[in-house]
Amino acid sequence: LQYHYLKRPYELVPLTAAAMPTVRYLDAEGRPLPDDAPAAAIAFSEYEIRIRPGIRYAPHPAFAVDAAGKPRYLDLPREEIDKRFALSDFAETGTRELVAEDYVYQIKRLAHPRLVSPIFGHMSQYIVGLKELSAALDAENGRLLEAHRARYGPVDRGLPWIDLRRFPLAGVEVVDRYTYRVRINGRYPQFKYWLAMPFFAPMPVEAERFHA
């Protein structure tokens, strides 16, 4: 979402979204409640966001593929990485369409132990399963770092990449190519305003893996 550039008081409007998110309220058993249900009866709020088809990423080497369709710059040898200092040092670029999974991937990154998101503490109170995801990623990160240091010593370069797609987040799901849902504890109408902030911008997995 974004804020309308001219309207005062400030008003949220769609940006990459096809329309404003819809929200439905659920009781503790997951049964739908009417929109005017008292806050005490609302165990969860479920936001559904549908994005506009046809949006594409700017050209980037993370999306470059070879003739077989495989990422061109994936898992480069260290000596090749050491020759490159800027994106312009990669001759090939590519692009692809923005999809709902890119937003889900970014929400998972809020719990990434190496990123230290400033809003994790707050969002973990609301997004269902975010605390549990953080614990799972902490354990995975510790395991990977132990194996990495046993092999290479105490170095911080080339740390093993964590593919967040392998870790479920109970409160966030991809519905279809252009739609995803976020389940929030209780009633929290302020959540839609977070969707206008960069913490909830899409992250293509190709870009994260490329930079890792």
Side-chain angles (χ1 to χ4, degrees):
L1 306 179
Q2 63 182 337
Y3 288 97
H4 192 286
Y5 187 68
L6 298 175
K7 286 188 178 181
R8 300 293 185 274
Y10 296 112
E11 181 181 328
L12 282 176
V13 294
L15 181 56
T16 57
M20 292 297 291
T22 60
V23 59
R24 65 173 188 153
Y25 303 116
L26 309 170
D27 65 15
E29 283 70 46
R31 294 174 300 209
L33 294 170
D35 290 345
D36 60 354
I42 298 173
F44 306 103
S45 302
E46 192 170 78
Y47 288 81
E48 183 169 291
I49 302 102
R50 182 165 179 82
I51 63 172
R52 292 186 285 115
I55 300 172
R56 300 186 69 82
Y57 284 104
H60 192 285
F63 298 116
V65 295
D66 60 21
K70 296 181 179 180
R72 184 174 292 277
Y73 298 116
L74 186 63
D75 298 328
L76 289 177
R78 177 60 59 80
E79 58 271 18
E80 286 296 317
I81 295 175
D82 288 343
K83 296 176 184 177
R84 294 171 164 85
F85 301 94
L87 292 180
S88 56
D89 294 331
F90 296 86
E92 302 292 330
T93 62
T95 183
R96 71 159 170 82
E97 187 181 30
L98 173 70
V99 294
E101 186 179 9
D102 300 333
Y103 289 91
V104 172
Y105 196 86
Q106 168 57 22
I107 295 172
K108 290 182 177 182
R109 292 177 82 240
L110 298 177
H112 200 301
R114 300 181 197 163
L115 299 181
V116 194
S117 169
I119 70 163
F120 169 75
H122 185 71
M123 283 294 109
S124 65
Q125 299 176 51
Y126 290 103
I127 298 178
V128 174
L130 198 60
K131 288 181 181 178
E132 291 77 7
L133 174 62
S134 176
L137 293 178
D138 277 340
E140 176 71 359
N141 186 53
R143 184 187 68 79
L144 290 174
L145 291 181
E146 183 178 356
H148 183 76
R149 287 165 181 158
R151 182 174 182 182
Y152 299 108
V155 295
D156 293 328
R157 290 188 62 198
L159 297 179
W161 175 61
I162 301 175
D163 186 353
L164 302 184
R165 294 172 299 181
R166 297 192 295 108
F167 296 85
L169 175 52
V172 183
E173 66 171 318
V174 174
V175 178
D176 58 38
R177 183 173 178 83
Y178 304 111
T179 311
Y180 67 102
R181 292 191 189 119
V182 182
R183 182 170 287 196
I184 303 296
N185 288 313
R187 187 176 185 273
Y188 182 51
Q190 296 93 329
F191 179 72
K192 65 182 180 180
Y193 295 94
W194 285 101
L195 298 178
M197 299 188 72
F199 304 110
F200 289 88
M203 171 58 70
V205 64
E206 298 93 333
E208 188 184 61
R209 190 170 186 182
F210 173 87
H211 287 285

